[in-house]
């Protein structure tokens, strides 16, 4: 047997540190499990409320000093996980935190695929403040798009550039887009360029992450979606080595003026390092309903199974966590 030549161990090997994501996953698991009984019931607010309550309780046990930068609050009128709220025990690292107890409340209510419970974390002061501009024009790809894609280019040119970088034909490229009336022209342009589309009913975060993953059938995610979701996606993209570009897109004159008053350049293209500075991001997602990213909550024979994805940029690790939970511990005798 031939041994591999020894190499000098890297810093991560000689000085291993704590992976906060392994603790945060308990909060996304809890949110997914508590919202699961509402899948397909047509009650998105009740599903979201159950997820918010569970996530908040479990975040309170994590040893970190988190400040919610992107939360429920103004968007969902939630009494917990609002912007500015402190979460965690107060001990440990100081962090910015973005939460979406259910990314895809409508998907959950309808029993459709790709609903997730999501948390993203980065060092304190590193998350971009969009100043209440809720929408952003975005493009996301994997590492092949670095230095090539450009939000200012026509979508057909971006598709051709990505196809060349990946060594495939344009016809092999699949582009994910939220299925919204505002994207009718964009969808037509993608198809006119010769690429295929994957139309998403909801789930902006999952679409972007699948575009950045090397083993996904989605090559690119484009279109106007939530700014908070863009920042959450940036935390994941940094761990995957991918690319995201975004530009704020105010929905009306009032929102535009708020952005200008806050000092935003509405013509500026923001990349992953603008949306989240530094190289210590965590992204944690647990499936609520089944999807291409992770499986949804499964209940069978008194057990609950969850699947989660944990990404960390500093270590470059991607972990999948499959956990089995005793159902009676979560739902009692109901």
């Amino acid at each position: 047997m031939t041994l591999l030549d020894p190499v000098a161990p890297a810093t991560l090997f000689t000085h291993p540190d704590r992976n906060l994501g392994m603790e945060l996953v308990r909060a996304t698991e809890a949110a997914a499990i508590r919202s699961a009984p509402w899948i397909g019931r047509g009650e998105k607010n009740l599903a979201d409320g159950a997820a918010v309550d569970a996530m908040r309780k479990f975040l309170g046990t994590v040893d970190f000093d988190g400040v919610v930068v992107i939360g429920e609050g103004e968007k969902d009128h939630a009494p917990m996980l609002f912007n500015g709220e402190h979460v965690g025990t107060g001990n440990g690292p100081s962090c910015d935190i973005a939460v979406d107890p259910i990314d895809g409340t409508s998907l959950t209510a309808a029993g459709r695929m790709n609903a997730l419970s999501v948390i993203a974390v980065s060092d304190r002061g590193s998350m971009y403040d969009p100043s209440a501009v809720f929408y952003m024009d975005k493009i996301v790809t994997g590492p092949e798009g670095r230095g090539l894609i450009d939000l200012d280019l026509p979508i057909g040119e971006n598709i051709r550039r990505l196809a060349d970088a990946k060594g495939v034909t344009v016809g092999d490229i699949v582009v994910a887009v939220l299925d919204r009336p505002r994207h009718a022209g964009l969808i037509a342009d993608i198809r006119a360029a010769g690429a295929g589309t994957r139309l998403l009913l909801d789930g902006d975060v999952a679409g972007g992450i699948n575009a950045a993953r090397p083993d996904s059938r989605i090559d690119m995610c484009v279109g106007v979606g939530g700014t908070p979701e863009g920042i959450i996606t940036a935390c994941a993209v940094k761990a995957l080595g991918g690319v995201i570009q975004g530009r704020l897109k105010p929905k009306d004159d009032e929102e535009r003026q708020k952005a200008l008053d806050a000092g935003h350049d509405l013509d500026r293209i923001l990349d992953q390092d603008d949306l989240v500075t530094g190289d210590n991001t965590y992204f944690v997602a647990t499936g609520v309903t089944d999807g291409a990213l992770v499986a949804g909550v499964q209940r069978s024979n008194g057990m609950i199974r969850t699947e989660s994805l944990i990404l960390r940029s500093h270590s470059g690790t991607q972990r999948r966590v499959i956990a089995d939970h005793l159902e009676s511990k979560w739902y009692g005798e109901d």
Side-chain angles (χ1 to χ4, degrees), residues 292-309:
L293 193 62
V294 285
V297 176
Q298 302 172 40
R299 299 172 65 179
S300 178
N301 298 320
M303 300 298 293
I304 305 167
R305 174 164 290 187
T306 57
E307 182 180 7
S308 304
L309 177 66

Side-chain angles (χ1 to χ4, degrees), residues 180-204:
R180 301 287 187 273
R182 63 177 178 265
H183 289 149
L186 175 61
I187 292 167
D189 289 343
I190 292 168
R191 291 171 176 169
T197 55
R198 181 71 56 84
L199 301 185
L200 308 174
L201 293 172
D202 212 333
D204 201 7

Side-chain angles (χ1 to χ4, degrees), residues 139 149-155 158 245 247 267-269:
I139 182 168
I149 64 163
D150 188 331
L151 200 57
D152 278 335
L153 290 174
I155 186 61
N158 278 315
Q245 292 184 358
R247 180 162 43 210
D267 294 321
R268 181 186 176 195
I269 294 176

Side-chain angles (χ1 to χ4, degrees), residues 136-221:
M136 172 182 282
D137 195 9
K138 292 173 277 191
I139 182 168
V140 185
T141 74
E144 300 88 352
R146 189 175 295 274
L148 296 176
I149 64 163
D150 188 331
L151 200 57
D152 278 335
L153 290 174
I155 186 61
E157 178 61 22
N158 278 315
I159 291 170
R160 285 186 285 274
R161 289 186 175 199
L162 184 62
D164 287 344
K166 298 186 82 163
V168 299
T169 68
V170 166
D172 293 323
I173 296 293
V174 176
V175 183
V177 190
L178 283 173
D179 191 6
R180 301 287 187 273
R182 63 177 178 265
H183 289 149
L186 175 61
I187 292 167
D189 289 343
I190 292 168
R191 291 171 176 169
T197 55
R198 181 71 56 84
L199 301 185
L200 308 174
L201 293 172
D202 212 333
D204 201 7
V205 172
I209 294 168
N210 279 322
R213 287 172 53 219
D215 56 346
S216 169
R217 296 186 64 184
I218 293 174
D219 301 284
M220 180 184 292
C221 185

Side-chain angles (χ1 to χ4, degrees), residues 214-246:
D215 56 346
S216 169
R217 296 186 64 184
I218 293 174
D219 301 284
M220 180 184 292
C221 185
V222 298
V224 176
T227 303
E229 287 81 357
I231 296 167
I232 291 171
T233 301
C235 288
V237 164
K238 292 187 76 142
L240 294 166
V243 181
I244 180 171
Q245 292 184 358

